[in-house]
Amino acid sequence: MDNKIAAVKMRDITKRFGSVVANDRVWLDIYRGEILALLGENGAGKSTLMNILSGSYTADAGTVTFDGADITGSSIKQIEDAGIAFVHQELNLFNDLLAYENIFLGAEETTPWGSLKKRDMANKAAELFERLGVDIDPYALVDDLKPSEKQLLEISRALFRNAKLLILDEPT
């Protein structure tokens, strides 16, 4: 018998969209250090299940726990605060901002007088990219990045925010 305790427990998850049942009493356990892939045909409910875990959707039935805490029906912000990050297939970046600005969006560092610490944030983004082996200039305009670089930027942002669980929706 395995003594490992699941970090994520999804039990009896059901989600309907009108008459279409996307998830029907799904059970899923995710363990620390595990890399897990959900495979199935288009429309099988994989993204729906991950959207429930990330707080984007609310299940019609079932429970979700993370690190022993019930997070069923929690908001996206509450899920992120708990340590779960979701990198959607459609990236959630601001193309008219710089790479470092996207990393710090919503978590900007300021002086006591309210001015942005732009150089400090750019340096921290550069350190993050170096640590992750990501070749992105922190001062690059996101609109000028290749799609693969944009995806790496999104993943870097999730890891910068100390995600304990990283969900990648169709990372191609």
Side-chain angles (χ1 to χ4, degrees), residues 116-136:
L116 291 174
K117 294 182 176 181
K118 294 180 181 182
R119 186 174 304 156
D120 288 350
M121 291 186 292
N123 288 340
K124 287 179 182 177
E127 291 168 9
L128 172 70
F129 295 151
E130 184 176 333
R131 190 171 67 247
L132 297 175
V134 173
D135 187 22
I136 296 176

Side-chain angles (χ1 to χ4, degrees), residues 1 15 19-20 67 75 81 95-96 102 150 166 168 172:
M1 177 175 240
K15 180 65 179 175
S19 63
V20 175
D67 282 345
S75 70
D81 289 348
N95 286 323
D96 57 341
N102 271 273
K150 289 181 180 183
L166 182 60
L168 304 174
T172 54

Side-chain angles (χ1 to χ4, degrees), residues 38-49:
L38 295 181
L39 304 174
E41 296 180 22
N42 286 341
K46 305 174 301 291
S47 292
T48 300
L49 191 64

Side-chain angles (χ1 to χ4, degrees), residues 25-140:
R25 297 182 310 258
V26 174
W27 280 49
L28 176 67
D29 288 345
I30 303 172
Y31 296 90
R32 292 201 176 283
E34 179 176 56
I35 297 172
L36 179 68
L38 295 181
L39 304 174
E41 296 180 22
N42 286 341
K46 305 174 301 291
S47 292
T48 300
L49 191 64
M50 292 304 97
N51 276 301
I52 291 168
L53 179 55
S54 71
S56 297
Y57 293 166
T58 301
D60 297 324
T63 60
V64 181
T65 61
F66 180 62
D67 282 345
D70 185 350
I71 59 170
T72 306
S74 294
S75 70
I76 293 171
K77 174 83 169 100
Q78 291 168 321
I79 296 292
E80 288 174 351
D81 289 348
I84 298 175
F86 190 8
V87 177
H88 294 268
Q89 184 177 0
E90 298 298 324
L91 299 179
N92 190 21
L93 298 170
F94 289 88
N95 286 323
D96 57 341
L97 295 180
L98 303 178
Y100 87 84
E101 292 171 324
N102 271 273
I103 293 289
F104 280 89
L105 197 60
E108 294 86 355
E109 295 182 358
T110 58
T111 67
W113 305 277
S115 300
L116 291 174
K117 294 182 176 181
K118 294 180 181 182
R119 186 174 304 156
D120 288 350
M121 291 186 292
N123 288 340
K124 287 179 182 177
E127 291 168 9
L128 172 70
F129 295 151
E130 184 176 333
R131 190 171 67 247
L132 297 175
V134 173
D135 187 22
I136 296 176
D137 177 355
Y139 291 101

Side-chain angles (χ1 to χ4, degrees), residues 5-19:
I5 298 172
V8 173
K9 291 183 181 182
M10 300 181 83
R11 297 291 182 264
D12 290 318
I13 300 298
T14 300
K15 180 65 179 175
R16 292 179 180 82
F17 297 98
S19 63

